[in-house]
C-alpha cells in the first residue's frame, strides 16, 4: 500500500475544472516533484490533499484511510500537511512562535514550545529562535516554513514553492535539508518552478497541465518527454538560462 493514493480526483471552481481526473500515488520515503505551467492546478492539488479544497470526485487515501470530508487539522493529525506558497510566515512574531503554531496541533503550549525548539535545532535555526521572522534572510525563512510543517510531525510534507525567492546557491542548502529530512523518514511532495532544484531533488516527477497529469517518471525521463517540453519545460529552461529566478517578494 502506498502512503498516499489519489484516484480520479477533480476539483472545480464554478465552471473551471482546476484538477481534472487526477491519479497518482506516493510511496513512503519518496521525494516527488509536482511541476507544470502557471494555473496548471498544482496548488489546488495540494489544497485538495490537505482538505482546503473539496474534491468533487475521486478518492484520496493516506495510509489506506480515505480523507473525504476531513478538515485540514484532522488531515494534519493523520500526518499530512503543507507549507504555503512563497513562504507565509507571521513576520512580526518570533521564529519560535511561528514554529509553535505547527506544534500546537499535537500538544499544549509548554510542550509545543519545547518541540518547536527541537525542530529549529533540526533545521539549523536554533540560534535565531527569538528573532522576529522579518529579520531573517530568505533562505532562513524557507527553513522556518519547513520547520513549521515539521512541527506537526508529518509523515508526508507538501512543500509549495519554498525555494521561490532563493538564488541557485541558496537553494542548495534547502535541497540538502530536504534530503536530510527524507533520510530521517519524512516523505515529500514539492511544487517548485526552479527546475534545477526539482530535478536534482526528486525521485519522481508528476507533470500537470490544465489540471491533468500529462507525464510521470524519473526526472531524466520527464525532462526529455516532448509533451512536457512543449507544455512547460521549454519555457522554464529558457528562463533559467537567461538569468536568476523569480524576483524576491
Ligand atoms: N479559489 C479559487 N477560486 C477560483 N479559481 C481558482 C481558485 N484557486 C485556483 N483557481 C484557478 O484554478 C486554476 C489552477 O490554479 P492553481 O493555483 O492550482 O495553479 P498552479 O499550478 O498552482 O499555478 P502557479 O504555478 O501559478 O501557482 C487556475 O485557473 C486558477 O485561476
Amino acid at each position: 500500500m502506498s502512503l498516499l493514493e489519489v484516484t480520479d480526483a477533480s476539483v472545480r471552481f464554478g465552471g473551471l475544472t482546476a484538477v481534472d481526473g487526477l491519479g497518482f500515488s506516493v510511496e513512503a520515503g519518496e521525494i516527488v516533484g509536482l511541476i507544470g505551467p502557471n494555473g496548471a492546478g498544482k496548488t489546488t492539488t495540494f489544497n485538495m490533499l490537505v482538505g482546503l479544497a473539496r474534491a468533487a470526485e475521486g478518492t484520496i487515501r493516506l495510509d489506506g484511510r480515505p480523507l473525504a470530508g476531513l478538515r485540514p487539522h484532522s488531515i494534519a493529525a493523520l500526518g499530512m500537511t503543507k507549507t504555503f506558497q512563497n513562504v507565509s510566515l507571521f513576520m512580526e512574531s518570533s521564529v519560535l512562535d511561528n514554529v509553535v503554531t505547527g506544534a500546537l496541533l499535537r500538544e499544549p503550549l509548554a510542550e509545543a514550545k519545547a518541540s518547536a525548539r527541537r525542530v529549529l535545532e533540526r533545521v539549523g535555526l536554533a540560534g535565531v529562535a527569538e528573532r522576529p521572522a522579518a529579520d531573517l534572510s530568505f533562505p532562513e525563512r524557507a527553513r522556518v516554513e519547513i520547520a513549521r510543517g515539521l512541527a506537526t510531525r508529518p509523515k508526508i510534507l507538501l512543500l509549495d514553492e519554498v525555494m521561490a525567492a532563493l538564488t541557485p546557491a541558496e537553494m542548495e542548502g534547502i535541497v540538502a535539508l530536504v534530503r536530510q529530512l527524507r533520510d530521517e523518514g519524512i516523505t515529500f511532495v514539492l511544487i517548485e518552478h526552479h527546475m534545477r532544484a526539482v530535478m536534482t531533488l526528486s525521485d519522481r516527477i508528476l507533470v500537470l497541465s490544465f489540471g491533468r497529469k500529462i507525464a510521470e517518471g524519473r526526472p531524466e525521463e520527464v525532462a526529455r518527454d516532448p509533451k512536457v517540453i512543449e507544455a512547460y519545460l521549454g519555457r522554464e529552461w529558457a528562463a533559467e538560462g537567461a538569468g536568476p529566478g523569480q524576483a524576491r517578494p
Side-chain angles (χ1 to χ4, degrees):
M1 183 179 63
S2 303
L3 177 58
L4 175 66
E5 286 175 342
V6 178
T7 314
D8 284 330
S10 298
V11 177
R12 299 201 181 85
F13 298 113
L16 175 85
T17 304
V19 175
D20 193 359
L22 184 62
F24 66 92
S25 55
V26 178
E27 307 305 319
E30 264 193 309
I31 300 177
V32 174
L34 184 58
I35 66 172
N38 291 328
K42 305 180 296 294
T43 294
T44 305
T45 298
F46 273 13
N47 287 343
M48 167 186 88
L49 294 176
V50 301
L52 288 167
R54 194 179 66 86
E57 287 148 23
T59 55
I60 301 163
R61 289 173 191 271
L62 182 65
D63 264 340
R65 187 187 159 151
L67 302 184
L70 295 184
R71 292 181 179 280
H73 68 269
S74 306
I75 294 175
L78 289 173
M80 179 160 63
T81 193
K82 70 163 212 158
T83 64
F84 284 84
Q85 195 168 16
N86 293 331
V87 179
S88 60
L89 303 177
F90 302 113
M91 287 297 168
E92 310 302 317
S93 304
S94 70
V95 168
L96 181 67
D97 284 348
N98 269 278
V99 178
V100 166
T101 58
L104 281 171
L105 176 76
R106 299 197 187 268
E107 297 163 322
L109 188 59
E111 287 86 344
K113 278 196 168 167
S115 298
R117 284 190 190 281
R118 282 193 294 275
V119 172
L120 285 172
E121 188 84 46
R122 210 167 155 196
V123 303
L125 291 181
V128 294
E130 316 302 336
R131 301 249 298 273
D135 278 6
L136 300 190
S137 66
F138 285 94
E140 286 172 329
R141 288 181 198 181
R143 281 174 196 263
V144 180
E145 185 76 33
I146 292 171
R148 195 161 56 170
L150 285 179
T152 67
R153 294 193 208 145
K155 293 176 184 155
I156 177 165
L157 181 55
L158 314 179
L159 304 181
D160 195 350
E161 290 199 58
V162 289
M163 291 182 257
L166 307 190
T167 65
E170 290 168 345
M171 274 182 242
E172 281 175 25
I174 303 298
V175 164
L177 174 64
V178 172
R179 284 221 180 94
Q180 171 205 319
L181 295 169
R182 186 265 290 275
D183 292 345
E184 291 170 16
I186 296 172
T187 303
F188 287 92
V189 183
L190 53 113
I191 297 174
E192 202 52 65
H193 280 287
H194 287 296
M195 279 306 111
R196 283 190 196 97
V198 82
M199 291 282 169
T200 341
L201 200 45
S202 305
D203 301 308
R204 195 154 56 87
I205 292 185
L206 310 174
V207 189
L208 293 193
S209 181
F210 295 106
R212 291 173 174 268
K213 185 173 75 178
I214 60 164
E216 174 175 2
R218 291 199 309 277
E220 61 276 17
E221 293 168 341
V222 161
R224 58 170 184 259
D225 185 325
K227 289 192 301 298
V228 179
I229 292 168
E230 183 180 344
Y232 180 56
L233 277 182
R235 268 170 285 162
E236 288 296 318
W237 290 125
E240 287 200 8
Q246 277 171 259
R248 295 188 191 264

